């Protein structure tokens, strides 16, 4: 290949350099002014499209199958390719449903319209009215009887529509990423269908979708560092919510027995392939249920969502087939950590002894970290990467779970599970703690951790405690990471690929 390339380079003058983006943009602006000088509006306020590209292709199949002959229709989309042949040209148009080819001939268009081609560029939006047919190669095509420029693109799109190779640019200018890559569009279609499927599942079980505040006087419901903002009219600091849990449990107290919310939460933490400072969660709460009921619901819901979204309950992720068909594997957290690390955390009842054991393994803890955070580090380091097939880890230490109800007969454990697949956490659930006095003591212990330097420890919430003192029935709660589930369903290994506008460092 190298020799052939060198021979080719020596057989003639080198190709001219590609025009600079600034030059291309200026050329397009000149075309824009010419259009306006001709009295044409390059940005008309409306266009009556009768069919999407996919609907037009489906319409073409009807007469081929014995249906009625199609009449003139109107389609519209972005020009993604053009091939001129004298007094005829082919254009590829892409809309949100797909691509369709348009055939333009000078003698089939109104006078002067074919000359409009000189002012068109890749990236422009065009409306085409005409009759459907197939070319000799079988390509679905609309023969244009009239064309309308709908929007002039002043900036060039990614060259040759091969997509953007600059990953940072893909995220910063997601519109270019979507415009140049149908595969990227498909990822976000999968995400949207996933969320719709989760809603249908919960609605079908009698859950009520609700909305809770994003701005809160305290940041509770999770172990995370919050974002802080200031409300000028109230002259007080507020926190962006780190979870929806405590407000949803207030609704259980108020008599709404089954509630859920799908929404953004915000955590002032690091950015990685699995973490974004703002992300989407599903949280649900069901009165008169425990974590066993929630476990069964979780595996059924994820399997249902996979079937509804992808047409199957098995996904291909990172080179492996992951089967969400229930039942999922169940193992206690203690067993999983002991098997993978050799550490039985029940043998280390305090922070100092467990930290010393972890130091011996070369796994060092951050200053101020409590025993629960140390156990979580053992989990994330030794166990989580190995959980490829859907797995529930059960019965977590009390130190890790200040909002979960204790496990009867096991004073150091709570009724909690986390769901994993693809080597990452997808779900977290408890039998909810409903004893207000015990909850107050748990908050006090968390506050002591905060004062010792743990910025992610749970904040006390006096208003929630007041609500809890009015009585909350036995309740099962669930949190699901929508972004990570979307990663699995779409085969993406970075969370940024499933968030339309992820947070990035300053350019």
């Amino acid at each position: 290949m190298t020799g052939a390339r060198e021979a080719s380079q020596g057989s003639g003058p080198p190709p001219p350099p590609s025009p600079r983006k600034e030059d291309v943009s200026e050329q397009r602006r000149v075309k824009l002014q010419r259009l306006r000088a001709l009295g044409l509006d390059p940005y008309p306020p409306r266009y009556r499209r009768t069919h999407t590209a996919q609907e037009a292709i489906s319409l073409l199949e009807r007469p081929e199958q014995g249906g009625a002959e199609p009449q003139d229709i109107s389609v519209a989309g972005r020009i993604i390719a053009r091939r001129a042949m004298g007094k005829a040209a082919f254009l590829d148009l892409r809309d949100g449903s797909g691509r369709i080819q348009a055939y333009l001939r000078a003698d089939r268009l109104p006078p002067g319209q074919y000359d409009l081609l000189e002012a068109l560029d890749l990236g422009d939006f065009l409306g085409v009215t005409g009759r459907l047919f197939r070319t000799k190669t079988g390509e679905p095509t609309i023969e244009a009887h009239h064309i309308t420029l709908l929007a002039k693109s002043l900036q060039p799109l990614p060259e040759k529509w091969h997509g953007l190779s600059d990953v940072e640019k893909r995220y910063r200018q997601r519109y270019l990423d979507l415009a140049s890559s149908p595969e990227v569009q498909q990822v976000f279609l999968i995400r949207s269908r996933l969320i719709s499927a989760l809603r249908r599942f919960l609605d079908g079980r009698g859950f009520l979708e609700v909305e809770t505040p994003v701005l809160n006087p305290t940041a509770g419901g999770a172990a995370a560092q919050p974002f802080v903002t200031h409300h000028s009219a109230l002259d007080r600091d507020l926190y962006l919510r780190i979870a929806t849990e405590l407000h949803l449990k207030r609704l259980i107290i108020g008599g709404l027995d089954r509630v859920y919310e799908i929404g953004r939460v915000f955590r002032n933490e690091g950015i990685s392939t699995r973490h974004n400072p703002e992300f989407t969660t599903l949280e649900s709460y069901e009165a008169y249920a425990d974590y066993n009921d929630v476990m069964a619901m979780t595996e059924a819901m994820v399997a249902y969502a996979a079937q509804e979204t992808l047409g199957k309950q098995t996904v291909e992720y990172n080179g492996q087939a992951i089967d969400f068909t229930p039942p999922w594997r169940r193992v206690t957290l203690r067993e999983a950590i002991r098997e993978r690390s050799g550490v039985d955390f029940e043998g280390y009842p305090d922070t100092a002894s467990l930290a010393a054991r972890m130091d011996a393994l070369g796994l060092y803890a951050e200053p101020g970290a409590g025993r629960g955070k140390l156990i979580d580090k053992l989990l994330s380091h030794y166990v989580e990467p190995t959980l490829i097939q859907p797995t529930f880890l059960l019965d977590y230490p009390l130190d890790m779970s200040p909002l979960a109800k204790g496990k009867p007969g096991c004073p150091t454990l709570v009724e909690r599970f986390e769901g994993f697949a693809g080597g990452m956490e997808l779900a977290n659930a408890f039998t909810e703690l409903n004893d207000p006095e015990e909850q107050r003591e748990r908050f006090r212990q968390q506050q002591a951790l905060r004062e010792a330097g743990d910025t992610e420890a749970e904040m006390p919430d006096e208003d929630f405690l007041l609500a809890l003192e009015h009585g909350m029935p036995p309740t099962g709660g669930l949190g699901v990471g929508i972004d990570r589930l979307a990663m699995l369903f779409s085969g993406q290994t970075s969370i940024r690929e499933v968030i339309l506008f992820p947070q990035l460092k300053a350019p």
Side-chain angles (χ1 to χ4, degrees), residues 160-179:
K160 296 183 181 179
W161 293 83
H162 287 165
L164 296 172
S165 57
D166 184 333
V167 174
E168 286 286 314
K169 187 172 184 178
R170 287 183 53 232
Y171 300 146
R172 293 187 192 280
Q173 296 179 281
R174 182 67 87 181
Y175 51 91
L176 291 181
D177 195 24
L178 292 166

Side-chain angles (χ1 to χ4, degrees), residues 156-311:
L157 294 173
E159 187 177 359
K160 296 183 181 179
W161 293 83
H162 287 165
L164 296 172
S165 57
D166 184 333
V167 174
E168 286 286 314
K169 187 172 184 178
R170 287 183 53 232
Y171 300 146
R172 293 187 192 280
Q173 296 179 281
R174 182 67 87 181
Y175 51 91
L176 291 181
D177 195 24
L178 292 166
S180 62
S181 177
E183 293 77 16
V184 173
Q185 292 186 14
Q186 183 63 24
V187 168
F188 291 101
L189 287 174
I190 288 173
R191 180 190 173 103
S192 178
R193 291 169 185 157
L194 162 63
I195 294 173
S196 295
L198 294 173
R199 279 196 168 100
R200 286 195 300 274
F201 180 90
L202 291 170
D203 291 346
R205 290 201 170 202
F207 282 79
L208 177 69
E209 184 173 11
V210 297
E211 295 175 304
T212 60
V214 172
L215 295 174
N216 292 288
T218 59
Q225 184 173 344
F227 288 97
V228 186
T229 188
H230 186 79
H231 192 289
S232 298
L234 296 176
D235 191 24
R236 67 183 301 189
D237 287 342
L238 295 171
Y239 299 94
L240 275 66
R241 67 185 182 191
I242 58 174
T244 58
E245 176 170 347
L246 299 187
H247 278 93
L248 290 174
K249 287 199 281 195
R250 286 172 169 90
L251 301 181
I252 294 290
I253 293 167
L256 301 180
D257 286 349
R258 295 182 178 185
V259 294
Y260 76 95
E261 180 171 10
I262 296 175
R264 288 284 211 201
V265 296
F266 308 85
R267 298 183 182 179
N268 198 355
E269 57 189 19
I271 295 175
S272 73
T273 57
R274 296 181 183 180
H275 297 87
N276 192 64
E278 54 177 318
F279 57 99
T280 304
T281 63
L282 158 67
E283 286 202 45
S284 70
Y285 291 84
E286 181 178 2
Y288 314 109
D290 66 7
Y291 78 144
N292 293 299
D293 301 309
V294 177
M295 209 179 312
M297 185 185 80
T298 301
E299 61 188 2
M301 179 172 66
V302 174
Y304 171 87
Q307 187 68 45
E308 290 288 295
T309 305
L310 306 172

Side-chain angles (χ1 to χ4, degrees), residues 229-422:
T229 188
H230 186 79
H231 192 289
S232 298
L234 296 176
D235 191 24
R236 67 183 301 189
D237 287 342
L238 295 171
Y239 299 94
L240 275 66
R241 67 185 182 191
I242 58 174
T244 58
E245 176 170 347
L246 299 187
H247 278 93
L248 290 174
K249 287 199 281 195
R250 286 172 169 90
L251 301 181
I252 294 290
I253 293 167
L256 301 180
D257 286 349
R258 295 182 178 185
V259 294
Y260 76 95
E261 180 171 10
I262 296 175
R264 288 284 211 201
V265 296
F266 308 85
R267 298 183 182 179
N268 198 355
E269 57 189 19
I271 295 175
S272 73
T273 57
R274 296 181 183 180
H275 297 87
N276 192 64
E278 54 177 318
F279 57 99
T280 304
T281 63
L282 158 67
E283 286 202 45
S284 70
Y285 291 84
E286 181 178 2
Y288 314 109
D290 66 7
Y291 78 144
N292 293 299
D293 301 309
V294 177
M295 209 179 312
M297 185 185 80
T298 301
E299 61 188 2
M301 179 172 66
V302 174
Y304 171 87
Q307 187 68 45
E308 290 288 295
T309 305
L310 306 172
K312 56 184 179 180
Q313 295 184 5
T314 300
V315 302
E316 297 295 326
Y317 182 74
N318 208 16
Q320 301 195 59
I322 299 176
D323 188 357
F324 288 110
T325 305
W328 297 3
R329 174 176 174 246
R330 288 156 166 76
V331 60
T332 67
L333 177 67
R334 180 184 181 185
E335 292 172 16
I337 290 178
R338 184 169 55 194
E339 177 185 344
R340 291 291 176 177
S341 70
V343 177
D344 182 353
F345 58 73
E346 286 292 338
Y348 303 91
D350 55 67
T351 302
S353 62
L354 183 57
R357 179 70 177 91
M358 291 172 62
D359 284 348
L361 295 172
L363 197 62
Y364 302 105
E366 298 83 358
R371 181 172 178 271
K373 185 164 284 189
L374 298 183
I375 296 172
D376 187 60
K377 191 159 190 173
L378 287 169
L379 165 61
S380 60
H381 183 79
Y382 288 106
V383 181
E384 186 170 344
T386 71
L387 301 177
I388 305 304
Q389 294 304 318
T391 302
F392 291 125
L393 297 185
L394 319 177
D395 300 339
Y396 278 53
L398 175 62
D399 314 64
M400 298 177 68
S401 313
L403 296 168
K405 197 169 187 68
K407 187 174 178 65
C410 302
T412 63
L413 301 178
V414 297
E415 292 193 347
R416 174 184 176 185
F417 74 80
E418 287 186 309
F420 297 84

Side-chain angles (χ1 to χ4, degrees), residues 21 24-25 27-29 31 43 77-84 89-94 99-100 102 116-126 149 151-163 176 179-180:
K21 182 177 179 180
V24 172
S25 178
Q27 292 168 9
R28 293 185 176 210
R29 292 180 187 276
K31 293 179 181 180
Y43 304 100
R78 191 189 289 274
I79 302 172
I80 60 172
R82 61 184 291 173
R83 299 168 294 282
F90 287 97
L91 303 179
D92 288 350
L93 304 180
R94 180 183 292 152
R99 180 190 67 85
I100 191 168
L116 185 61
L117 275 175
E118 296 180 3
L120 298 182
D121 293 293
L122 299 185
D124 292 352
F125 281 86
L126 190 70
L149 177 61
K152 182 68 185 167
S153 171
L154 298 181
Q155 296 290 340
L157 294 173
E159 187 177 359
K160 296 183 181 179
W161 293 83
H162 287 165
L176 291 181
S180 62

